[in-house]
Amino acid sequence: MEKLLDVKNLHVSFDTYGGEVQAVRGVNFDVKKGETLAIVGESGSGKSVTTKALMQLIPMPPGRIKEGEILFEGKDLAKLSEKEMQKIRGKDISMIFQDPMTSLNPTMKVGNQIMEGLIKHQKMNKTQARKRVVELLELVGIPDPESRMKQYPHQFSGGMRQRVVVAIALACNPKLLIADEPTTALDVTIQAQILELMKDIQKKTDSGIIFITHDLGVVANVADRVAVMYAGKIVEVGTVDDIFYNPKHPYTWGLLGSMPSLDSQDAELYAIPGSPPDLLNPPKGDAFAARNEYAMQIDLEQEPPMFKVSDTHYAATWLLHENAPNVEPPEAVKARMKGMATNASSDTEGERV
Amino acid sequence: MDNYKPQKELFVPVERNEGESEKISRPSLSFWQDSFIRFRKNIGAMLGVFVLIVLIVMAIFGPMFNEYGENDQDLSVAKMPPKIEGLGWIGMDGTLTTVQTADTLEDAERKALMRFSNQEEFIDMTVLSNGANGEAEVRAVYDPYAAKGLEENFWFGTDGLGRDLWTRTWLGTRISLFIAFLAAAIDLVIGVAYGGISAYYGGRVDNYMQRIIEILVGIPNLVVVILMILILDPGILSIVIALTITGWISMARIVRGQILKLKNQEFVLASRTLGAPDNRILRRHLVPNVLGLIIINTMFTIPSAIFFEAFLSFIGLGLPTPTASLGTLIDDGFSSIQIYPHILLFPAIVISLIMIAFNIVADGLRDAFDPKMRE
Amino acid sequence: MTRYILQRLGYMLITMFLIATFTFFLMKLLPGSPLAAADKLSEEQQAIVLEKYGLNDPVPVQYFNYMVNLAQGDLGISFQFDNREVTTIILDRIGPSMQLGFQAMVIGTILGMLLGLVSAIYHNGFLDYSSTFLAVVGQSIPSFVFAGILQYYVGVRLGWFPVALWEGWEYTVLPTISLAIFPIAIAARFMRTEMLEVLGSDYITTARAKGVNKFGVVFKHGLRNALIPLITVLGPLAIGLMTGTLVIENIFAVPGIGEQFVKAINTNDFPIIMGTTLLIAFLFIFIVLVIDLLYGVIDPRIRLAEGE
């Protein structure tokens, strides 16, 4: 399938008083049509910055795209001017944000907020736009759209607001939808509804989705492929099956191990000790080494390259090197994997790419 | 890098120290250290501090720099222009200049001479336009220091009664600063006590105390200040009383609001849950968070008190003559602004500098104390 | 909403009553009387004067009469201007004061908002630093010092505008500018802070993600949200202007209430002082009320919450 988006060696930095914070340090990934890529990682790992940088929505300055290419349908977005970018935002790529309570303009009627993009990108007149807004509101499951579109955001509940946010994002049938933790701020039941809604819409429109989250449960539910981010880098990428049943990076082990599940009540959660490194002075070698109980001497000296595990599965850890000792994931993680795995392969050595 | 083969011996597990992963990589700073560092980086605020120090030093020692007294009147040297040796190039050369126009050159020259009481030998006349087209213009520069044979210079000139303005300006600054500091200190004490008690006891006490404040806030302080000054005898103390009678309210509200907000905040609750004694909570949580606001508010009170003092002098409710304050000096200066602007100039510059410096320093402190600003 | 307004009007009356009472008794404590201005009167003449001003009645009766008259808009008779009612004097002089205050307020807030907007849009740029600096200076320097600078340089030296009196629009220029500096500075600083905060909020990112351009982001999405808090400073600004007119009218010899007020202070004309004080208090309370109501008009959250 053709690549909709291809990000190559993306570096994003913020220039602060303290110095240059390297929030994203060389990220590669791609998204195909109709595919959902989940980016997971803890707070501060650079997932939001990466996706905001795709749309040039990071505050510039202090932020800047230091190097790298963002190829969207063959066009490098990193080189576009603000003016050119405005033609792409909302039309070809749109975004759903985390907090529906703050991501709608409180002093503007909901209908007008949805209409804005339609009038700008599709050159609709008011009547056409209004008709489309009603359709959109119906699509996202808001009852009585005719009267709801004349209301202000504070008259909507949190879940309803997020539906409005989704409607805004879908207004112009974007080819790529970026969802930045769209369900984190919502109740669990509402979460499920919004996720179902997004899956439905994707089926209808065949758009690519980048789904940012730190909730692995959500990932299993929606994603085709998963990229795990840590300290501004992608440390492991693969299909959902690869990541859940055959994880290779110790950080992914940690993430999986710290996810509670119903069928493992007796097992202890496996917590990753410590906190992420300060990206003002990223550590030498593997950024995860300080928190990695399997760390080797080389982790402190050299950054690991991406090792190929299978055609779809890559991970950046020296543990996959032929010289590395054979390391098994911790028991808690293994138990979890066993619970899920049926057909996972168990190669412990990868092939460098 | 792809072709680089790492050495085999590097692939050995290393012992990780327990706790190393928890290491915080930036130095930990206390609230005050952190604020101080941020304040010091603020060039504008540091400049403000410098200006304030200079002005305060001048207010204390300035009047001692020459031997003129505050109330030494000498009508023979009234309205002398400012003269500082070596500063002639910024206009402090001790001369007065006038430009006169008339129908003919003679008329214009006569007008110019009259303006400086006909002391022709000390007047330097320049013809700007000779009157050929029906309008003549001359510029006359008069040197009153030479005319009066004065050896000594009046650095800031003299006023209408021949009093030295250098001495009076710095004494006036001293009085104005004194009034402002006193008013700010009283506001601080009353406001913090009232707000603190109201927030600390809460419940019914708080309720009554807040009702009182609500009523007082409804009364414009301009009205209160004017009424108070009218019934009290004019003087420094009356002005201070008038300024503080409603001035403490904003402080009380800020302190109460902040304490109430903090009292219910998670980190205080957490600290209480962990068994911290009351005085630790007070010392570590309440005081640092409230103190910043108190300092900032005080820093804003001072310039507003200085302004009000000057304002009162202006509408005739200020200090009685012959006491000098920045307000009375400026009020004085306006009466002869068209001919002798220097009488107004120096007190106006000083009051403006004080106000700007205090406001900039207060802004700088506000930014420095605001943890959101931390980078 | 109606109930709210009525409630607020009720509070307003109570405050006015308290201020009037307070003012009345303060005046009774003062040594001045109409006789201070005319001490060469015979005993009979003095008695007539006292009778005329109702000063022979016991204080409670005087208080009662004063309050009744006040309720009818009668502020008494001036000590200085024989037989002239304070209300008439104030009405005669309110025009120039109102005009000055209004001009300064409108010019000040509009210019200030523009300055603040420029600051916020070019955040941390040269324009931002210079307009922030100007705003700090404008906020700090007292209006009478500005008035002095303008009067001397623009009025006397350059001769562009008349330095005093009130005989046409050109006479309003210098006093209006002197008064407008403070609102400009305050509005600019406030607008900058609010706009920056708004521009950093999530819904602005949403708008940008829709492809809205910079102009649309600032004016369509930002402005209204930034204006809501700006309303809070309008009150203090209006009060600052009232304080300002008292001195500015004197400097430029504008025949307004402020000039009359200062004259009254210097001649112990208590009925005028009292009347003007009450007028200032009334305007102050009235402005606060209007601003509270304005909130509802601009902010849909408040408007609808009240309406439901």
Side-chain angles (χ1 to χ4, degrees):
Chain A
M1 233 189 298
E2 64 172 307
K3 284 180 183 173
L4 184 63
L5 177 78
D6 196 357
V7 176
K8 289 178 181 163
N9 195 29
L10 180 68
H11 285 75
V12 183
S13 287
F14 291 87
D15 298 310
T16 68
Y17 290 115
E20 180 191 344
V21 176
Q22 304 169 32
V24 177
R25 308 182 294 145
V27 157
N28 297 285
F29 66 87
D30 56 76
V31 182
K32 297 172 191 73
K33 253 184 151 175
E35 178 194 50
T36 302
L37 170 77
I39 301 181
V40 297
E42 62 199 298
S43 316
S45 59
K47 9 182 240 296
S48 275
V49 173
T50 306
T51 48
K52 285 211 170 107
L54 297 186
M55 290 179 81
Q56 292 190 15
L57 283 179
I58 47 171
M60 291 190 265
R64 64 192 157 96
I65 296 176
K66 212 166 115 194
E67 59 172 291
E69 291 180 330
I70 302 165
L71 296 173
F72 178 76
E73 297 188 308
K75 202 172 353 170
D76 187 358
L77 301 186
K79 292 197 176 59
L80 292 189
S81 69
E82 170 68 21
K83 270 248 155 65
E84 294 165 310
M85 208 53 216
Q86 279 165 9
K87 293 192 187 111
I88 291 183
R89 286 188 205 130
K91 182 164 173 265
D92 295 322
I93 308 178
S94 59
M95 198 155 181
I96 301 172
F97 298 94
Q98 178 172 1
D99 189 353
M101 306 314 269
T102 58
S103 50
L104 292 174
N105 186 338
T107 56
M108 205 171 180
K109 285 177 186 154
V110 161
N112 290 344
Q113 300 196 41
I114 304 175
M115 240 183 270
E116 215 172 13
L118 293 169
I119 291 169
K120 184 177 163 66
H121 297 302
Q122 317 233 338
K123 311 282 178 254
M124 288 186 180
N125 62 31
K126 282 252 163 141
T127 334
Q128 293 170 312
R130 214 164 280 145
K131 237 177 83 193
R132 174 82 173 127
V133 169
V134 173
E135 280 171 32
L136 281 165
L137 288 176
E138 261 163 11
L139 178 73
V140 297
I142 292 180
D144 193 14
E146 299 278 353
S147 60
R148 289 296 253 176
M149 66 183 279
K150 293 188 191 101
Q151 294 184 328
Y152 289 96
H154 69 272
Q155 292 161 296
F156 286 68
S157 68
M160 283 291 159
R161 283 192 209 190
Q162 195 64 317
R163 285 166 194 265
V164 173
V165 175
V166 173
I168 290 176
L170 292 176
C172 302
N173 293 319
K175 294 169 187 151
L176 178 67
L177 187 61
I178 299 171
D180 188 353
E181 311 213 18
T183 58
T184 313
L186 302 174
D187 285 347
V188 186
T189 48
I190 311 289
Q191 258 185 35
Q193 291 173 10
I194 296 284
L195 291 178
E196 282 309 308
L197 175 69
M198 289 184 59
K199 278 202 277 187
D200 270 7
I201 286 163
Q202 187 180 30
K203 239 177 261 162
K204 285 181 202 155
T205 59
D206 201 34
S207 49
I209 295 182
I210 299 177
F211 201 103
I212 302 171
T213 182
H214 54 250
D215 184 342
L216 289 171
V218 171
V219 172
N221 192 344
V222 299
D224 300 311
R225 287 194 302 134
V226 183
V228 180
M229 267 192 95
Y230 182 77
K233 290 191 160 195
I234 290 185
V235 294
E236 186 163 9
V237 58
T239 63
V240 173
D241 287 346
D242 293 335
I243 300 296
F244 277 81
Y245 304 139
N246 188 24
K248 290 298 178 197
H249 198 283
Y251 178 66
T252 315
W253 295 345
L255 277 186
L256 289 168
S258 54
M259 177 175 76
S261 72
L262 284 175
D263 44 61
S264 60
Q265 308 151 330
D266 49 333
E268 241 179 80
L269 286 183
Y270 171 78
I272 310 174
S275 50
D278 186 352
L279 292 179
L280 199 54
N281 317 295
K284 196 178 157 211
D286 186 351
F288 187 58
R291 302 166 72 184
N292 184 1
E293 58 179 296
Y294 311 103
M296 296 174 291
Q297 193 56 44
I298 188 163
D299 281 320
L300 302 179
E301 288 168 23
Q302 289 172 31
E303 253 180 80
M306 270 285 182
F307 289 91
K308 182 174 178 182
V309 183
S310 72
D311 280 343
T312 53
H313 188 185
Y314 299 85
T317 167
W318 285 117
L319 290 176
L320 293 172
H321 194 267
E322 54 197 294
N323 294 338
N326 224 340
V327 168
E328 291 286 307
E331 281 311 310
V333 178
K334 264 210 299 209
R336 203 140 309 164
M337 283 157 53
K338 217 183 295 161
M340 299 186 277
T342 43
N343 55 353
S345 62
S346 56
D347 311 321
T348 44
E349 260 144 50
E351 183 189 325
R352 183 194 278 195
V353 287
Chain B
M1 171 140 180
D2 277 78
N3 299 324
Y4 170 73
K5 291 275 174 209
Q7 292 162 308
K8 206 167 177 168
E9 51 269 29
L10 285 174
F11 286 85
V12 287
V14 281
E15 277 304 310
R16 314 261 55 206
N17 289 342
E18 195 66 31
E20 194 171 332
S21 59
E22 300 282 0
K23 194 179 68 188
I24 292 168
S25 47
R26 294 187 211 182
S28 100
L29 295 170
S30 78
F31 175 74
W32 298 110
Q33 285 170 317
D34 192 50
S35 305
F36 182 67
I37 287 172
R38 255 174 300 151
F39 184 73
R40 230 177 30 188
K41 276 191 188 159
N42 186 337
I43 300 166
M46 289 314 288
L47 214 63
V49 170
F50 175 74
V51 169
L52 282 183
I53 291 174
V54 170
L55 287 173
I56 291 171
V57 167
M58 288 310 287
I60 297 170
F61 299 108
M64 302 173 193
F65 290 1
N66 62 29
E67 60 267 33
Y68 302 110
E70 183 189 7
N71 300 320
D72 295 352
Q73 298 185 10
D74 181 357
L75 288 177
S76 68
V77 291
K79 298 186 173 172
M80 295 294 285
K83 183 174 185 181
I84 297 179
E85 234 45 83
L87 281 181
W89 52 278
I90 55 164
M92 295 168 77
D93 52 3
T95 60
L96 290 165
T97 306
T98 184
V99 174
Q100 294 290 342
T101 51
D103 291 344
T104 63
L105 194 57
E106 291 82 63
D107 279 352
E109 282 181 345
R110 194 164 52 243
K111 269 168 87 180
L113 288 179
M114 257 167 64
R115 164 81 176 73
F116 295 130
S117 39
N118 291 321
Q119 291 183 294
E120 233 166 301
E121 63 269 39
F122 303 107
I123 296 173
D124 186 11
M125 195 86 74
T126 322
V127 178
L128 299 174
S129 150
N130 61 11
N133 49 5
E135 195 181 67
E137 203 173 18
V138 294
R139 183 174 55 214
V141 177
Y142 170 58
D143 186 350
Y145 283 91
K148 287 172 183 161
L150 284 177
E151 294 290 310
E152 302 234 19
N153 294 339
F154 294 102
W155 296 323
F156 283 2
T158 59
D159 68 3
L161 297 172
R163 291 174 294 191
D164 176 43
L165 276 174
W166 168 275
T167 310
R168 285 181 69 78
T169 298
W170 296 121
L171 280 171
T173 309
R174 190 191 287 180
I175 298 280
S176 288
L177 282 173
F178 176 73
I179 289 175
F181 282 129
L182 193 59
I186 294 173
D187 280 355
L188 182 117
V189 172
I190 300 179
V192 169
Y194 195 99
I197 289 170
S198 186
Y200 185 82
Y201 288 103
R204 185 178 291 177
V205 177
D206 182 40
N207 216 335
Y208 285 131
M209 290 176 85
Q210 283 321 108
R211 289 295 89 73
I212 294 174
I213 281 199
E214 266 163 41
I215 293 170
L216 288 177
V217 158
I219 307 172
N221 76 331
L222 175 63
V223 169
V224 175
V225 170
I226 290 173
L227 291 179
M228 289 314 291
I229 293 281
L230 280 173
I231 55 167
L232 298 168
D233 288 332
I236 293 176
L237 214 58
S238 323
I239 291 185
V240 171
I241 292 173
L243 288 177
T244 47
I245 205 149
T246 54
W248 57 272
I249 293 176
S250 71
M251 179 68 89
R253 291 180 117 189
I254 288 172
V255 169
R256 172 179 175 271
Q258 186 69 7
I259 292 180
L260 282 186
K261 196 177 107 195
L262 290 170
K263 247 166 91 173
N264 298 319
Q265 226 151 53
E266 270 87 358
F267 69 89
V268 173
L269 190 67
S271 166
R272 201 179 290 273
T273 317
L274 290 172
D278 274 0
N279 84 44
R280 187 187 154 84
I281 292 175
L282 211 65
R283 217 178 50 234
R284 299 303 297 257
H285 295 304
L286 295 187
V287 172
N289 283 292
V290 181
L291 201 57
L293 278 179
I294 293 175
I295 293 172
I296 294 163
N297 193 49
T298 304
M299 291 299 287
F300 281 119
T301 312
I302 293 172
S304 101
I306 288 177
F307 169 79
F308 253 104
E309 184 277 320
F311 167 76
L312 288 172
S313 299
F314 226 91
I315 61 172
L317 292 173
L319 295 172
T321 49
T323 318
S325 76
L326 290 175
T328 56
L329 290 171
I330 291 172
D331 188 28
D332 240 21
F334 264 103
S335 51
S336 49
I337 182 175
Q338 307 211 4
I339 308 169
Y340 301 105
H342 72 266
I343 301 179
L344 174 66
L345 184 67
F346 296 102
I349 290 177
V350 171
I351 199 172
S352 302
L353 281 179
I354 292 181
M355 301 275 292
I356 294 173
F358 266 111
N359 276 313
I360 288 181
V361 171
D363 278 344
L365 284 174
R366 182 166 55 192
D367 291 347
F369 286 145
D370 186 355
K372 271 188 293 184
M373 298 283 291
R374 188 167 181 171
E375 297 288 332
Chain C
M1 194 71 187
T2 327
R3 217 192 119 205
Y4 176 69
I5 295 176
L6 285 177
Q7 193 185 346
R8 289 299 307 268
L9 285 174
Y11 271 121
M12 198 172 138
L13 281 178
I14 295 173
T15 318
M16 278 310 293
F17 173 79
L18 286 174
I19 293 174
T21 308
F22 185 61
T23 317
F24 176 84
F25 286 102
L26 274 184
M27 288 301 152
K28 286 294 127 194
L29 290 174
L30 289 172
S33 85
L35 305 177
D39 45 11
K40 291 195 179 92
L41 297 176
S42 67
E43 296 237 337
E44 295 104 83
Q45 284 170 315
Q46 288 196 12
I48 293 168
V49 170
L50 287 176
E51 185 60 38
K52 183 174 121 195
Y53 289 104
L55 295 173
N56 284 333
D57 298 330
V59 172
V61 176
Q62 286 184 32
Y63 172 65
F64 180 77
N65 288 338
Y66 179 76
M67 285 313 229
V68 169
N69 288 338
L70 192 62
Q72 296 164 344
D74 179 0
L75 293 165
I77 299 164
S78 161
F79 284 176
Q80 294 295 321
F81 304 92
D82 214 22
N83 288 330
R84 287 204 67 192
E85 288 191 5
V86 174
T87 315
T88 327
I89 294 175
I90 287 181
L91 285 179
D92 276 355
R93 286 178 161 261
I94 202 163
S97 299
M98 281 294 186
Q99 189 188 345
L100 266 190
F102 185 74
Q103 283 178 342
M105 190 77 180
V106 170
I107 293 173
T109 40
I110 291 176
L111 278 184
M113 273 164 48
L114 288 178
L115 212 60
L117 270 182
V118 168
S119 265
I121 293 171
Y122 300 101
H123 181 41
N124 281 342
F126 173 75
L127 279 174
D128 182 20
Y129 289 128
S130 23
S131 84
T132 307
F133 177 74
L134 282 182
V136 172
V137 171
Q139 179 197 9
S140 308
I141 297 184
S143 56
F144 44 83
V145 172
F146 263 119
I149 296 169
L150 288 177
Q151 199 173 40
Y152 184 70
Y153 283 100
V154 183
V156 178
R157 292 284 282 265
L158 298 172
W160 290 354
F161 295 102
V163 292
L165 295 178
W166 191 257
E167 280 149 19
W169 74 269
E170 67 270 25
Y171 288 82
T172 72
V173 173
L174 294 184
T176 303
I177 297 176
S178 316
L179 274 177
I181 297 286
F182 185 70
I184 288 177
I186 298 288
R189 299 196 69 185
F190 210 77
M191 191 70 197
R192 175 180 180 272
T193 321
E194 288 307 323
M195 200 65 195
L196 281 181
E197 185 155 340
V198 166
L199 288 182
S201 61
D202 288 354
Y203 55 84
I204 291 296
T205 317
T206 310
R208 291 188 61 209
K210 267 186 265 183
V212 178
N213 58 25
K214 203 163 183 174
F215 183 85
V217 164
V218 171
F219 289 93
K220 225 170 135 194
H221 290 269
L223 197 56
R224 190 171 183 140
N225 287 293
L227 278 182
I228 293 170
L230 188 70
I231 297 171
T232 45
V233 290
L234 291 184
L237 277 187
I239 289 147
L241 282 183
M242 284 193 229
T243 315
T245 43
L246 292 189
V247 282
I248 296 298
E249 285 179 11
N250 273 287
I251 293 171
F252 293 100
V254 176
I257 291 181
E259 204 230 358
Q260 179 66 56
F261 185 64
V262 174
K263 256 190 220 156
I265 287 172
N266 291 327
T267 53
N268 283 349
D269 193 343
F270 293 120
I272 287 191
I273 298 177
M274 225 145 116
T276 313
T277 307
L278 285 175
L279 180 77
I280 292 174
F282 174 76
L283 285 175
F284 173 95
I285 295 164
F286 182 71
I287 286 168
V288 171
L289 175 73
V290 168
I291 282 162
D292 276 4
L293 298 181
L294 250 185
Y295 254 125
V297 178
I298 292 204
D299 192 341
R301 283 164 295 191
I302 294 177
R303 182 171 70 218
L304 292 155
E306 295 281 345
E308 269 157 17

